[in-house]
Amino acid sequence: MAIKPLALQQGDTVGIVTLGSPLDADVINRRIAYLQSMGLKVIAGKYVYAQNGYLAGTDQERAEDLMNMFADERVKMILPSRGGVGVEGILPYLDYDYIRGHPKIVSGYSDITVLLNALTQFSGIVTLHSLLLIDFRPGTPPYNFEQFFTATSSVVVPRPLNNPPEKPLSGKVPGSASGPIVGGNLTSLVGSLGTPFEIDTTGKILLLEETHEPVNTVYRYVEQLKLAGKFNDCSGILLGECTNCMDAYGQTYEDLINDFIVPLGKPLLTNLASGHGVYKAAIPIGAFANMNASNGLITFLEPAVRY
């Protein structure tokens, strides 16, 4: 069974790190203030405001910030400011054995996907495909906060995943699948192939979502995952949105799903609100779940946190 971090409570301390691309200091400070207004304390990493071209400091500096948050006994949750690019660069500099003994809530999406899965795979801790610091602002839908705080504070199971009412899950290939959920952003996962941090989908439910890519590029990434055996190994497929993805050659994202993913024959649910979309479900990475593509249901059988 996966290792679970302690649940988040009112007044707990959140560690803010920037692990990929830099983010404007004014934006970081406004988001921190909003987080504090929700009753949480904040500690900012040494390099959270750093800028090194398209990276927020060197790989070693960003990794140091993250490890310092795992070591700080005051910190209950680690919240990256954003994704962007470059998160994979910190992975070789992390102490996964130490992290295993000092689990913390880690949340994010986009390029943070590679970190979430690496922590689950090599440290055995449950992570959370959910909000980043940039999402803590007045315009964020209440659904997103409800999902986030339920996942980070509740140990009640079984717990159904409730998509927004206007966005029902759609079963494309009937059947059920069980296993830990892994995955996240498609581009980030493809980037892990052929590295020591390649995602392991064996017996797991594979979550995929994407943003701002033309459909022919999405096809290329899906085909690469297929050739790498990631669909053969998984027990089921859970597809999020392809947010602002452009049609190509008259083909849509829905066409790609029907033409190239449905024929894989794995239980398949689509239309999950996650990642880059307006609505963001909170998905525990590494926690055991069941998906029923015949009934359009996802049920978490294991919480993301413990008391």
Side-chain angles (χ1 to χ4, degrees), residues 28-55:
I28 292 174
N29 291 337
R30 288 198 301 271
R31 301 300 188 263
I32 286 176
Y34 193 86
L35 194 62
Q36 291 170 324
S37 76
M38 302 180 88
L40 294 165
K41 300 173 184 174
V42 171
I43 294 175
K46 180 179 178 181
Y47 301 104
V48 75
Y49 302 107
Q51 292 197 19
N52 181 24
Y54 46 79
L55 299 172

Side-chain angles (χ1 to χ4, degrees), residues 211-255:
T211 185
H212 285 92
E213 294 286 0
V215 170
N216 55 323
T217 299
V218 178
Y219 158 76
R220 176 187 292 165
Y221 294 158
V222 167
E223 191 65 18
Q224 192 167 352
L225 281 184
K226 177 183 174 183
L227 292 173
K230 301 306 175 183
F231 293 118
N232 287 339
D233 294 343
C234 73
S235 61
I237 303 169
L238 181 57
L239 292 183
E241 300 160 275
C242 201
T243 312
N244 296 318
C245 290
M246 297 75 76
D247 297 351
Y249 300 92
Q251 299 293 293
T252 66
Y253 178 55
E254 194 70 17
D255 292 330

Side-chain angles (χ1 to χ4, degrees), residues 23-221:
L23 185 62
D24 185 83
D26 288 341
V27 175
I28 292 174
N29 291 337
R30 288 198 301 271
R31 301 300 188 263
I32 286 176
Y34 193 86
L35 194 62
Q36 291 170 324
S37 76
M38 302 180 88
L40 294 165
K41 300 173 184 174
V42 171
I43 294 175
K46 180 179 178 181
Y47 301 104
V48 75
Y49 302 107
Q51 292 197 19
N52 181 24
Y54 46 79
L55 299 172
T58 67
D59 292 345
Q60 294 91 333
E61 288 170 342
R62 301 190 322 275
E64 178 187 331
D65 257 7
L66 181 59
M67 288 306 306
N68 285 341
M69 292 302 176
F70 278 109
D72 192 326
E73 293 183 357
R74 297 170 295 174
V75 173
K76 186 72 70 69
M77 178 174 71
I78 302 170
L79 192 62
S81 63
R82 63 167 299 180
V85 299
V87 177
E88 69 275 7
I90 74 172
L91 299 183
Y93 301 102
L94 303 181
D95 186 336
Y96 296 95
D97 288 335
Y98 183 87
I99 293 169
R100 182 180 298 110
H102 301 79
K104 307 280 177 80
I105 299 168
V106 182
S107 177
Y109 58 94
S110 194
D111 210 48
I112 300 298
T113 289
V114 294
L115 173 65
L116 301 178
N117 287 276
L119 293 177
T120 294
Q121 196 163 315
F122 297 104
S123 296
I125 69 172
V126 175
T127 57
L128 197 61
H129 191 269
S130 187
L131 304 186
L132 292 162
L133 178 67
I134 53 173
D135 298 304
F136 284 83
R137 56 187 178 85
T140 293
Y143 170 88
N144 297 5
F145 289 133
E146 184 275 329
Q147 284 279 306
F148 178 81
F149 286 110
T150 297
T152 55
S153 63
S154 174
V155 298
V156 174
V157 287
R159 180 170 65 87
L161 185 152
N162 297 313
N163 236 31
E166 66 271 27
K167 292 179 65 66
L169 291 166
S170 176
K172 290 284 188 178
V173 177
S176 63
S178 295
I181 299 179
V182 297
N185 179 249
L186 177 59
T187 298
S188 301
L189 296 176
V190 167
S192 78
L193 299 179
T195 76
F197 305 100
E198 180 171 328
I199 186 172
D200 179 9
T201 63
T202 305
K204 300 175 175 68
I205 297 170
L206 177 58
L207 164 67
L208 297 174
E209 64 87 40
E210 190 52 275
T211 185
H212 285 92
E213 294 286 0
V215 170
N216 55 323
T217 299
V218 178
Y219 158 76
R220 176 187 292 165
Y221 294 158

Side-chain angles (χ1 to χ4, degrees), residues 285-300:
I285 300 297
F288 209 85
N290 175 265
M291 59 172 280
N292 188 322
S294 301
N295 297 331
L297 299 175
I298 302 169
T299 305
F300 300 122

